[in-house]
Amino acid sequence: MEGHEHSRLAQQAAAGGGGAAIEAVFATAAGQVTQLPWDQAAASVQFEDLAPVSAFSVVPGHRWGPGWWWSATTGRHVVHGSAAMRTQLMVLDRNPDVIGMAARPVRLLWRDTDERVRSWVPQLFARYADGTGLLADCPSSPSAGGDRAQRVRVVLEAACMRVGWAHRRLEPPPTVVAANLRWLAGYRHPRNQGPTGLQAALAEAFAEPRPLADGAAAVGDPLQVLPAVYHALWCGHLTAPLDEPLHEEVLVCADAERGGGGVEKRLGAGGVQGRGERSGRHTR
């Protein structure tokens, strides 16, 4: 969207949809549909614990349907309705600052400048360790959703800014990065971290950048060690340049700055500004 148009819509949002006029509709843990002013809901509702306020539809003939993502962050499943949404769940699940996630937990209602009631259900909610939240949509391309999605974006950005949160239309990561993340995500479960002492041995073996296969072989049997290497790469205990295909000669390092930390930081931010430091909580 052109800057002039974005500014015009932002002014409209501030006048008609970006303030206290927004209402939040959600289903409580007991299944009761509730409506509260947006500011009140943002301050009091644990959206990360709520079920979707609207179901994902199954479209006959489409190659993709609703599914479930097991979250290493929460140990629970999160529903998704598209490949793009699953990818963003994967990226957020790897973000060390995210402590909770939910799909479609809230519907936002507001009266537009033409006095018509508008509504939107953001596809994802993420809770950060500092208590703030992210409302996100997961378009398959930047232009997906057309003008309506762009107008909604301006309203939701204003509403989230009002309560110290953020709203983002999360762009898909590059193809190679997404492929590498899908591979590492297969090892995200704590069972892949290996026996006691293996992660410490990996940190020692990869204290200096060295080829993945070489470092794994230095620690022990690759059949046991490689799953732990991939788990450590998922958690961020080890790093590698994820913008090139993972292979046995890729350089891996326990130091993020020396082992591909630039990409790691961008991915860790989940498409938004990162908060805090990498914690290692995924290995619980």
Side-chain angles (χ1 to χ4, degrees):
M1 180 183 298
E2 296 294 333
H4 176 73
E5 177 69 2
H6 186 283
S7 176
R8 183 181 65 82
L9 291 175
Q11 291 175 0
Q12 291 180 353
I22 292 186
E23 296 282 312
V25 179
F26 55 93
T28 66
Q32 181 179 0
V33 177
T34 303
Q35 181 168 329
L36 291 175
W38 163 243
D39 292 31
Q40 180 181 344
S44 62
V45 178
Q46 300 299 310
F47 290 113
E48 61 270 36
D49 295 330
L50 302 184
V53 74
S54 64
F56 292 97
S57 59
V58 177
V59 182
H62 280 211
R63 295 175 54 193
W64 189 271
W68 294 91
W69 173 265
W70 182 81
S71 168
T73 299
T74 65
R76 298 183 297 187
H77 285 88
V78 183
V79 68
H80 56 78
S82 68
M85 185 175 175
R86 185 186 69 170
T87 296
Q88 297 300 344
L89 276 170
M90 178 173 63
V91 173
L92 286 169
D93 199 17
R94 193 168 177 267
N95 185 339
D97 302 318
V98 172
I99 62 172
M101 296 184 293
R104 288 186 171 181
V106 61
R107 179 187 301 277
L108 298 181
L109 303 172
W110 67 93
R111 193 175 297 277
D112 213 341
T113 52
D114 60 5
E115 294 302 313
R116 295 179 61 184
V117 174
R118 310 289 183 178
S119 73
W120 191 264
V121 181
Q123 290 177 295
L124 284 177
F125 170 78
R127 177 77 67 184
Y128 290 102
D130 64 3
T132 59
L134 168 72
L135 293 180
D137 288 303
C138 310
S140 56
S141 67
S143 61
D147 290 343
R148 178 171 182 254
Q150 297 298 339
R151 287 181 168 82
V152 165
R153 176 176 64 89
V154 173
V155 173
L156 267 59
E157 283 179 355
C160 287
M161 186 180 300
R162 179 183 177 90
V163 296
W165 289 14
H167 171 265
R168 297 287 187 273
R169 283 170 57 86
L170 300 176
E171 295 185 5
T175 301
V176 172
V177 173
N180 285 335
L181 283 181
R182 283 194 296 270
W183 176 264
L184 297 179
Y187 297 89
R188 67 189 182 277
H189 196 280
R191 62 174 172 262
N192 291 296
Q193 65 186 319
T196 302
L198 181 52
Q199 292 294 317
L202 289 175
E204 182 177 353
F206 290 103
E208 298 291 331
R210 66 191 300 184
L212 186 153
D214 180 45
V219 173
D221 181 359
L223 289 178
Q224 180 185 60
V225 175
L226 282 174
V229 171
Y230 296 136
H231 179 77
L233 284 168
W234 167 264
C235 296
H237 300 154
L238 298 178
T239 62
L242 297 183
D243 49 2
E244 61 182 66
L246 286 174
H247 52 82
E248 62 181 10
E249 295 299 321
V250 69
L251 292 181
V252 174
C253 187
D255 186 331
E257 294 298 331
R258 302 173 66 188
V263 175
E264 292 290 307
K265 288 179 180 179
R266 294 197 299 273
L267 291 174
V272 299
Q273 290 183 346
R275 296 168 169 82
E277 297 179 352
R278 185 169 294 277
S279 64
R281 56 184 168 72
H282 291 302
T283 61
R284 66 189 175 195

